[in-house]
Amino acid sequence: MENVVSPGLVISLIFVVIGIFIIAKGLVIVRQSEVMVIERLGSFNRILESGVNIIIPFIERPRAITMTRYVRIGDEYHPSSSFETRIDRRETVMDFPGQPVVTTDNVTVNINGALYYQIIDPRRAVYEVANMSQAVEVLAKTTLRSVVGKMELDKLFESRSEVNNAIQAEMEEAASKWGVKLTRVEVQDISMPEEVEEAMRLQMAAERKRRATVTEAEGEKSAAIAMAQGQRESAILNAQGDKESAILRAQGEQESIRLVLSAMGDTEENKQTVIGYLLGQSYIKVLPNMAKEGERVFVPYESSALLGSMGMFRELAGSPEDIVCQSVKQDGLRGGMVASAGNS
């Protein structure tokens, strides 16, 4: 006999298959850091968090979000749009292509930036804006033009962090309406026209040359001041030394005069004799130097008066004055001979 399959068994199998299909379609596993926006009959119902979730097939379905990303191939950026039912709540970076921006000093620069954002409210990101990623990108570009347009080119290079903070502050209010949190904005590259870049290089070279000239001038100024201070201190020390030496010589001569007068007697005639003797000693010391310089020598004193004074001291003191008298006679004769030679 042939086995006949009953209609009830077939119907049961059909219901089992349908049940398995419904369970398979209704069982949803959401991974960590992902969420899904569920709609029931076209209206928002709930948000599925990470883990195992069950939905009603054909009645409940996830709502897709439109995401636009850029793929960099070489130096060019190519946009790529996709519809995603699983919304990533992790921090995401958007590297959008460079934008031409005009600064306050009418210089057009091309700025390439990066935007870091995070979806904190998936419902708003789906229902409040049609394309959340594109909206954030356009907002970043317009804010970048607005902020950089208020700055000069030199200030732009010096204060990138200020530009980043200003862009983030202006974008936060608008992005919060879409359920997006901006973590930070980074200005990556700033490209300038070739003529502006060449002008900046020339300006930089001129500035470095100016700094070198100023540094060299300051060094020469410091050296001149130090040399002048050294000469001043040296002159002061030399003057003090000459002063002390003159004082000591004067004290020595005063003491010698006092001793001679005490030995000879403190009379007016003896004082004149001592003065003549001291002048004679000075002349004797100067005469050898006078004879060395020039072709003619003029003797500025009367030799007989000097010899008379020295003779009195010879009678009082003895042989040392004899030697002095002989030296004076020889110097006098030498001076006379030199003078006669000059006259001839």
Side-chain angles (χ1 to χ4, degrees):
M1 294 179 61
E2 295 180 359
N3 294 328
V4 179
V5 178
S6 63
L9 182 60
V10 174
I11 295 172
S12 299
L13 290 176
I14 292 173
F15 276 109
V16 170
V17 172
I18 293 174
I20 294 174
F21 178 74
I22 291 174
I23 293 174
K25 292 290 291 184
L27 187 65
V28 179
I29 299 176
V30 182
R31 293 179 297 182
Q32 185 70 30
S33 300
E34 291 183 350
V35 295
M36 296 178 67
V37 177
I38 302 300
E39 292 180 343
R40 178 177 293 178
L41 299 176
S43 62
F44 173 76
N45 181 260
R46 67 186 184 276
I47 295 177
L48 300 183
E49 299 290 343
S50 59
V52 179
N53 298 273
I54 298 175
I55 63 174
I56 302 173
F58 309 110
I59 297 177
E60 296 178 347
R61 64 175 56 189
R63 174 68 180 267
I65 184 173
T66 304
M67 299 293 293
T68 301
R69 296 182 176 87
Y70 286 92
V71 180
R72 186 172 183 176
I73 302 176
D75 295 335
E76 297 182 356
Y77 289 83
H78 300 275
S80 175
S81 298
S82 60
F83 297 93
E84 302 175 2
T85 56
R86 297 174 182 269
I87 301 175
D88 195 344
R89 301 185 66 173
R90 294 176 298 177
E91 186 175 356
T92 306
V93 57
M94 178 186 294
D95 189 4
F96 53 87
Q99 300 298 313
V101 182
V102 180
T103 60
T104 54
D105 46 357
N106 296 325
V107 179
T108 302
V109 295
N110 196 28
I111 300 179
N112 181 20
L115 178 66
Y116 295 84
Y117 67 93
Q118 183 181 9
I119 299 176
I120 58 176
D121 191 345
R123 180 178 178 179
R124 289 187 177 184
V126 173
Y127 292 105
E128 297 293 335
V129 61
N131 190 329
M132 184 272 301
S133 59
Q134 185 180 11
V136 171
E137 175 192 350
V138 173
L139 179 62
K141 292 178 180 178
T142 55
T143 308
L144 178 63
R145 292 191 182 99
S146 175
V147 172
V148 176
K150 301 176 184 177
M151 305 177 65
E152 295 182 355
L153 183 61
D154 295 337
K155 185 66 175 178
L156 177 61
F157 285 100
E158 296 175 358
S159 55
R160 288 195 181 187
S161 60
E162 296 180 5
V163 175
N164 298 336
N165 296 333
I167 295 174
Q168 182 177 353
E170 292 191 14
M171 291 181 61
E172 280 183 352
E173 183 179 357
S176 62
K177 297 179 181 180
W178 305 329
V180 178
K181 177 184 178 181
L182 298 178
T183 55
R184 62 183 180 274
V185 180
E186 297 291 341
V187 175
Q188 300 183 68
D189 300 325
I190 301 177
S191 302
M192 298 173 295
E194 294 183 359
E195 58 273 12
V196 177
E197 190 173 356
E198 181 65 23
M200 291 187 66
R201 280 198 293 266
L202 294 176
Q203 182 181 2
M204 185 183 303
E207 179 65 19
R208 290 179 178 175
K209 185 176 180 180
R210 184 189 68 81
R211 292 180 182 178
T213 304
V214 171
T215 303
E216 184 178 359
E218 290 179 352
E220 293 178 355
K221 175 183 176 182
S222 300
I225 292 174
M227 184 179 296
Q229 290 178 349
Q231 293 177 354
R232 175 177 174 272
E233 294 177 359
S234 176
I236 291 174
L237 293 177
N238 291 333
Q240 291 179 351
D242 294 341
K243 175 183 176 182
E244 294 177 358
S245 177
I247 292 173
L248 292 176
R249 284 196 301 269
Q251 291 177 352
E253 292 177 357
Q254 180 182 5
E255 182 66 20
S256 63
I257 293 173
R258 186 182 62 81
L259 292 175
V260 171
L261 289 177
S262 63
M264 297 179 59
D266 191 7
T267 60
E268 189 66 26
E269 184 179 0
N270 292 336
K271 290 181 180 180
Q272 295 295 328
T273 304
V274 172
I275 292 173
Y277 173 73
L278 294 176
L279 291 175
Q281 284 185 330
S282 300
Y283 288 146
I284 291 172
K285 292 179 181 179
V286 172
L287 281 177
N289 295 327
M290 293 175 60
K292 292 179 182 179
E293 298 179 358
E295 298 178 354
R296 299 180 181 181
V297 178
F298 296 94
V299 180
Y301 62 90
E302 185 177 357
S303 300
S304 59
L306 175 63
L307 293 176
S309 299
M310 298 300 295
M312 294 180 62
F313 280 97
R314 183 191 58 181
E315 294 177 357
L316 295 174
S319 61
E321 279 69 19
D322 295 338
I323 299 174
V324 173
C325 290
Q326 294 177 3
S327 176
V328 171
K329 290 179 180 180
Q330 291 176 359
D331 291 340
L333 293 174
R334 188 184 296 111
M337 294 173 64
V338 173
S340 60
N343 293 327
S344 62

